[in-house]
Amino acid sequence: MSFAHCCIPSTENSAWHMVFLIGSLNTQAPSTMASRGGGRGRGRGQLTFNMEAVGIGKGDALPPPTLQPSPLFPPLEFRPVPLPSGEEGEYVLALKQELRGAMRQLPYFIRPAVPKRDVERYSDKYQMSGPLDNAIDWNPDWRRLPRELKIRVRKLQKERTTILLPKRPPKTTEDKEETIQKLETLEKKEEEVTSEEDEEKEEEEEKEEEEEEEYDEEEHEEETDYIMSYFDNGEDFGGDSDDNMDEAIY
Amino acid sequence: MTQAEIKLCSLLLQEHFGEIVEKIGVHLIRTGSQPLRVIAHDTGTSLDQVKKALCVLIQHNLVIYQVHKRGVVEYEAQCSRVLRMLRYPRYIYTAKTLYSDTGELIVEELLLNGKMTMSAVVKKVADRLTETMEDGKTMDYAEVSNTFVRLADTHFVQRCPFVPATENSDPGPPPPAPTLVINEKDMYLVPKLSLIGKGKRRRSSDEDATGEPKAKRPKHTADNKEPIPDDGIYWQANLDRFHQHFRDQGIVSAVANRMDQIFRSLPVGYNISKQVLDQYLTLLADDPLEFVGKSGDSGGGMYVINLHKALGSLATATLESVVQERFGSRCARIFRLVLQKKHLEQKQVEDFAMIPAKEAKDMLYKMLSENFISLQEIPKTPDHAPSRTFYLYTVNILSAARMLLHRCYKSIANLIERRQFETKENKRLLEKSQRVEAIIASMQATGAEEAQLQEIEEMITAPERQQLETLKRNVNKLDASEIQVDETIFLLESYIESTMKRQ
């Protein structure tokens, strides 16, 4: 008595495979098989339902067993129905592609932070790579949102820069000085509402970000003699063409 | 939520909002309601990123929040709403057919931004329309307002829940999050605004006209200084209303096809006399499709459109069509047979369909394995002995529809992935062509000779051009397929929803 696993292949990558445990259909009576197996195999070849009712008669040749997963791109037996064409179809298609492109440009599309380059470059200081302090680019109605979602925006003021620039040699007092400066500037800065717990975390973040302050664009202007596009290193060239948006966006 | 739906949501979020929003969104869909810190911890994202992502998701009505006890705010994602993003082009196109370009742009702006105030929408749309008009012409705010009001009256746009004005002088700390309310009668109430103005063209010369460098201009434009008259009143697109429209359209077109079949020989004019109309309706009522039912004879009889049956018929037609296209017309014949007779034995199928036993068997198993057809056991004896049990083939429309819907989700996910793959493969080429186009555009603007333009165009070689053509064709095909599959999804979802409501 031989057993065969029979997988009926499905036409696509689905998880359903019906597995039939079928004995080869011979005309031997079950009782003789049982006695040969010493009683162990009694009923092993029997199924819970009548094979004939499902349509597999005795002695019928079964399809060969499948020993490998179904092919990734099985050959199509029938040609697919043609896609809708015509004015409506074209228009909706164009709309779809346009929407896709448009959404990528909106402030709601959040890009992950650009990874730091290997060497710090001078122009990095003048690259406005993102909104100030990682805040969001657009203005939601904060009255409708939970308070905890607001990200504190720090507005730098002139006084801050003069305090930070001179560096103090002893390292221990540097920390103390920084804390004092921070406390002073905290009073002077405009703040938006945050929760108590966040403030400590913000302070830690501030300490780390001391070195990499993002200055307001206006302050940049006063520090250099060049316009901002001077520091363009050509990385976004070609991605900024807003004028010819009638080309299809992929 | 099934894996297939989650996967599709992930692709949609990533394509429209980027990876960070996708990570947070998918996490919420998988885990259900969670507070801010848990989200940050479980996804390994910084708190700031999570906040940004949640703001975007809430703005677009994909996530809602709830204040629980002890002031903890929990966020919950709406998976089905995310899936609706597939249908945005269809909503916009419908608005166009009903309310022309103005309506189209209003709905587009609302969908792109999630929610907006009426004044903001009107201004934006007026500006956009003005851009497309001839020089010197502008779009008046009043016209846009009118269209907006019509959209609100027909319920295609609705008001978002808002923060109730609290009159109590509660000295306690403000709640961590506002509780938003809306009641039925306010939902389509348009605020009395007198929006006066015209659309503005965005001209690059304007920015240099003032003589100051761009950066020195204040970040906030002058408009923000004026008080917004409808501050706090936000509008969103009412997707359910669009769905209603689609459903009606589907039924109408199905009936129209039916009418064509029956009345092709009769002249169809617009002045249909009462008698003829009566005949039409009677025929429809008797029609096996059972779209129209006659209830009572008072006043000549009232005709009712049986919505559930109509949806059922549409769903069944979809199933039949899928079987036909996947397995061939003979399989389809068997399928329709089993559908019609409800339960059939193996032998009966062979007889009725007039298909040889072997082939009939093969076809039945193919359909069985893909769950279009199911087996029903009817025991003759109480001990359910297999030799004494009837095994009948039957079509369970609800479960077949569910199965097909699941496959649709997988299909669309596959389509999107393939499209992204194709785009990524040719990324370098695409960027190059975009750069060349930008160069050409700028050169044309500054007035360049034909020869120079020719030179630049030749930067893209002929085989590269070919590659781009192929890419464009493939992407278009994939996109069109997505749109097509979404229509099927809508049909099946409507049917399933209607059936579940009746149970």
Side-chain angles (χ1 to χ4, degrees):
Chain A
M1 178 96 147
S2 63
F3 284 88
H5 283 261
C6 177
C7 286
I8 298 182
S10 37
T11 52
E12 67 160 42
N13 247 355
S14 72
W16 316 302
H17 292 289
M18 280 226 279
V19 178
F20 281 96
L21 257 178
I22 309 174
S24 80
L25 299 169
N26 49 33
T27 48
Q28 272 185 328
S31 51
T32 49
M33 296 194 306
S35 59
R36 221 187 307 138
R40 245 182 320 134
R42 185 188 323 232
R44 195 165 43 152
Q46 287 177 355
L47 298 160
T48 55
F49 62 96
N50 184 6
M51 290 294 300
E52 274 166 359
V54 197
I56 304 179
K58 275 205 155 116
D60 266 358
L62 291 165
T66 322
L67 299 166
Q68 56 195 9
S70 40
L72 206 52
F73 293 111
L76 271 183
E77 282 170 29
F78 301 95
R79 284 203 61 121
V81 183
L83 291 166
S85 54
E87 216 182 290
E88 181 178 338
E90 301 278 329
Y91 191 84
V92 178
L93 180 64
L95 240 184
K96 183 177 206 292
Q97 293 177 336
E98 224 180 86
L99 274 178
R100 202 162 47 225
M103 290 201 88
R104 292 187 83 95
Q105 305 295 327
L106 286 175
Y108 309 115
F109 194 97
I110 302 181
R111 288 163 215 276
V114 179
K116 295 265 187 272
R117 295 260 285 275
D118 43 1
V119 179
E120 210 180 286
R121 287 161 209 267
Y122 180 74
S123 63
D124 276 351
K125 209 159 55 141
Y126 299 105
Q127 296 272 355
M128 289 304 288
S129 52
L132 273 178
D133 288 337
N134 239 10
I136 47 188
D137 262 332
W138 48 291
N139 285 325
D141 190 344
W142 291 111
R143 297 168 294 182
R144 297 175 59 94
L145 294 169
R147 282 182 305 150
E148 62 184 6
L149 287 186
K150 229 176 198 176
I151 300 175
R152 255 180 61 200
V153 176
R154 293 174 298 162
K155 284 207 179 139
L156 294 168
Q157 298 190 348
K158 295 266 178 67
E159 302 97 303
R160 192 129 197 234
T161 58
T162 52
I163 292 171
L164 286 175
L165 284 174
K167 292 236 154 153
R168 323 264 158 168
K171 243 215 151 181
T172 48
T173 47
E174 190 178 47
D175 283 21
K176 248 196 252 164
E177 293 287 3
E178 281 188 24
T179 332
I180 296 174
Q181 289 160 26
K182 226 178 310 215
L183 287 172
E184 285 177 349
T185 50
L186 274 175
E187 292 172 33
K188 291 176 196 161
K189 279 188 298 187
E190 293 174 348
E191 285 181 0
E192 297 184 342
V193 181
T194 53
S195 57
E196 291 292 319
E197 310 146 64
D198 280 345
E199 241 175 322
E200 274 184 42
K201 194 162 184 206
E202 302 276 19
E203 295 217 327
E204 285 173 36
E205 284 175 6
E206 277 180 55
K207 276 207 185 117
E208 289 163 14
E209 287 178 24
E210 290 289 36
E211 308 303 318
E212 336 153 8
E213 292 292 351
E214 286 181 80
Y215 292 82
D216 218 331
E217 215 173 333
E218 299 174 5
E219 297 189 356
H220 284 271
E221 299 259 314
E222 305 192 3
E223 294 199 8
T224 70
D225 295 326
Y226 303 103
I227 62 169
M228 286 312 294
S229 56
Y230 177 77
F231 296 105
D232 234 344
N233 56 7
E235 274 180 346
D236 342 296
F237 182 56
D240 295 340
S241 54
D242 286 332
D243 297 332
N244 258 354
M245 285 315 244
D246 49 344
E247 306 296 325
I249 310 280
Y250 297 112
Chain B
M1 293 290 115
T2 63
Q3 280 305 314
E5 287 170 280
I6 298 179
K7 171 85 179 151
L8 187 50
C9 286
S10 155
L11 286 168
L12 288 170
L13 285 174
Q14 184 215 7
E15 212 165 48
H16 292 109
F17 299 115
E19 287 169 10
I20 300 175
V21 175
E22 183 259 333
K23 194 154 48 155
I24 308 299
V26 169
H27 176 77
L28 278 176
I29 292 175
R30 280 213 166 97
T31 58
S33 194
Q34 280 198 336
L36 180 63
R37 293 199 175 264
V38 180
I39 300 174
H41 177 264
D42 284 353
T43 57
T45 343
S46 78
L47 213 57
D48 272 354
Q49 303 280 51
V50 180
K51 289 181 192 176
K52 279 203 273 189
L54 284 173
C55 283
V56 170
L57 288 166
I58 294 176
Q59 173 76 12
H60 282 84
N61 311 308
L62 303 172
V63 159
I64 55 169
Y65 61 84
Q66 257 188 332
V67 186
H68 287 258
K69 52 184 192 285
R70 281 193 265 125
V72 174
V73 181
E74 285 196 352
Y75 302 92
E76 194 178 327
Q78 325 241 276
C79 177
S80 51
R81 178 61 181 82
V82 178
L83 293 174
R84 292 297 86 83
M85 292 180 75
L86 279 168
R87 222 162 278 164
Y88 281 6
R90 207 167 159 199
Y91 299 138
I92 298 174
Y93 182 72
T94 305
K96 186 187 175 82
T97 55
L98 294 174
Y99 296 101
S100 86
D101 289 346
T102 320
E104 178 193 2
L105 288 185
I106 291 178
V107 172
E108 188 178 322
E109 283 298 320
L110 281 177
L111 286 173
L112 282 180
N113 290 290
K115 34 173 102 79
M116 287 171 87
T117 59
M118 178 172 166
S119 41
V121 173
V122 168
K123 180 171 185 310
K124 194 93 190 284
V125 171
D127 287 346
R128 277 182 74 174
L129 284 168
T130 308
E131 288 281 323
T132 62
M133 291 164 102
E134 303 161 7
D135 268 338
K137 289 217 170 122
T138 54
M139 183 56 139
D140 204 66
Y141 282 11
E143 207 179 312
V144 183
S145 285
N146 280 340
T147 314
F148 191 96
V149 170
R150 283 165 70 200
L151 279 166
D153 283 341
T154 46
H155 295 199
F156 280 105
V157 301
Q158 69 187 39
R159 272 171 63 158
C160 306
F162 51 89
V163 185
T166 45
E167 303 98 15
N168 57 350
S169 49
D170 189 354
T179 318
L180 303 171
V181 299
I182 184 97
N183 56 25
E184 275 292 324
K185 59 182 174 63
D186 285 342
M187 235 193 265
Y188 306 102
L189 213 57
V190 180
K192 297 253 180 305
L193 299 174
S194 57
L195 291 166
I196 303 171
K198 296 195 196 301
K200 292 187 186 47
R201 250 176 241 280
R202 178 179 51 133
R203 275 194 226 98
S204 47
S205 53
D206 275 352
E207 284 153 26
D208 298 333
T210 54
E212 300 172 51
K214 260 201 281 195
K216 275 269 156 84
R217 274 216 318 214
K219 288 225 164 102
H220 301 286
T221 56
D223 306 65
N224 277 29
K225 300 241 179 75
E226 297 164 12
I228 307 172
D230 59 348
D231 192 27
I233 303 180
Y234 291 92
W235 294 79
Q236 61 186 357
N238 182 0
L239 302 189
D240 284 333
R241 177 66 183 88
F242 280 101
H243 292 164
Q244 227 176 41
H245 181 84
F246 296 156
R247 199 185 49 212
D248 296 344
Q249 258 188 335
I251 295 178
V252 164
S253 63
V255 171
N257 283 339
R258 202 71 178 180
M259 297 276 268
D260 275 348
Q261 277 175 21
I262 301 171
F263 297 114
R264 208 160 298 169
S265 53
L266 294 177
V268 180
Y270 285 107
N271 319 334
I272 306 180
S273 69
K274 193 156 185 294
Q275 256 191 335
V276 185
L277 185 63
D278 218 11
Q279 281 181 347
Y280 276 119
L281 284 170
T282 320
L283 268 155
L284 267 177
D286 289 335
D287 189 283
L289 271 187
E290 290 185 19
F291 275 23
V292 179
K294 191 163 183 187
S295 80
D297 280 314
S298 56
M302 243 215 325
Y303 290 96
V304 174
I305 298 198
N306 191 334
L307 215 56
H308 173 69
K309 285 239 171 75
L311 287 172
S313 297
L314 285 172
T316 314
T318 312
L319 285 167
E320 280 175 28
S321 159
V322 171
V323 169
Q324 171 131 359
E325 297 305 327
R326 275 257 153 197
F327 303 116
S329 47
R330 298 178 98 189
C331 256
R333 198 156 89 215
I334 296 181
F335 185 78
R336 274 194 286 268
L337 191 67
V338 178
L339 202 59
Q340 192 186 16
K341 306 270 186 191
K342 305 276 192 263
H343 296 276
L344 282 177
E345 267 187 329
Q346 168 78 38
K347 195 88 185 43
Q348 289 173 305
V349 170
E350 294 162 21
D351 290 339
F352 282 127
M354 294 178 286
I355 292 179
K358 215 166 187 174
E359 286 177 38
K361 221 191 306 173
D362 188 42
M363 291 178 186
L364 278 168
Y365 288 150
K366 249 198 284 199
M367 289 193 279
L368 191 62
S369 75
E370 307 224 4
N371 291 354
F372 282 99
I373 286 189
S374 41
L375 266 179
Q376 171 86 38
E377 289 177 17
I378 306 205
K380 288 190 228 182
T381 55
D383 65 352
H384 289 253
S387 54
R388 290 187 293 274
T389 317
F390 284 118
Y391 290 95
L392 301 175
Y393 290 101
T394 180
V395 177
N396 181 339
I397 304 186
L398 184 60
S399 69
R402 281 214 169 100
M403 178 277 298
L404 194 58
L405 184 62
H406 187 250
R407 271 167 86 143
C408 283
Y409 290 138
K410 278 185 170 188
S411 301
I412 292 205
N414 287 346
L415 285 167
I416 297 180
E417 281 215 59
R418 181 69 201 197
R419 174 169 48 78
Q420 287 180 343
F421 171 77
E422 292 275 328
T423 315
K424 203 155 40 153
E425 283 276 290
N426 295 289
K427 190 168 158 196
R428 195 195 63 85
L429 188 57
L430 268 174
E431 283 175 357
K432 179 176 175 187
S433 97
Q434 276 172 357
R435 240 175 292 160
V436 166
E437 277 164 21
I439 295 176
I440 291 183
S442 64
M443 284 179 72
Q444 274 177 339
T446 58
E449 296 163 7
E450 191 58 44
Q452 286 176 313
L453 290 175
Q454 197 84 331
E455 226 181 274
I456 302 288
E457 272 188 29
E458 275 163 23
M459 275 170 65
I460 303 185
T461 65
E464 282 180 337
R465 231 173 259 283
Q466 189 80 347
Q467 213 178 330
L468 277 172
E469 267 302 309
T470 317
L471 172 68
K472 181 165 178 170
R473 208 178 35 236
N474 289 343
V475 168
N476 283 353
K477 236 189 266 191
L478 291 166
D479 267 330
S481 308
E482 271 179 56
I483 297 173
Q484 186 70 1
V485 179
D486 182 58
E487 284 188 26
T488 312
I489 286 183
F490 171 71
L491 243 164
L492 294 170
E493 276 179 350
S494 305
Y495 167 68
I496 293 172
E497 198 184 310
S498 160
T499 315
M500 298 312 288
K501 266 199 218 150
R502 291 162 78 88
Q503 287 183 356

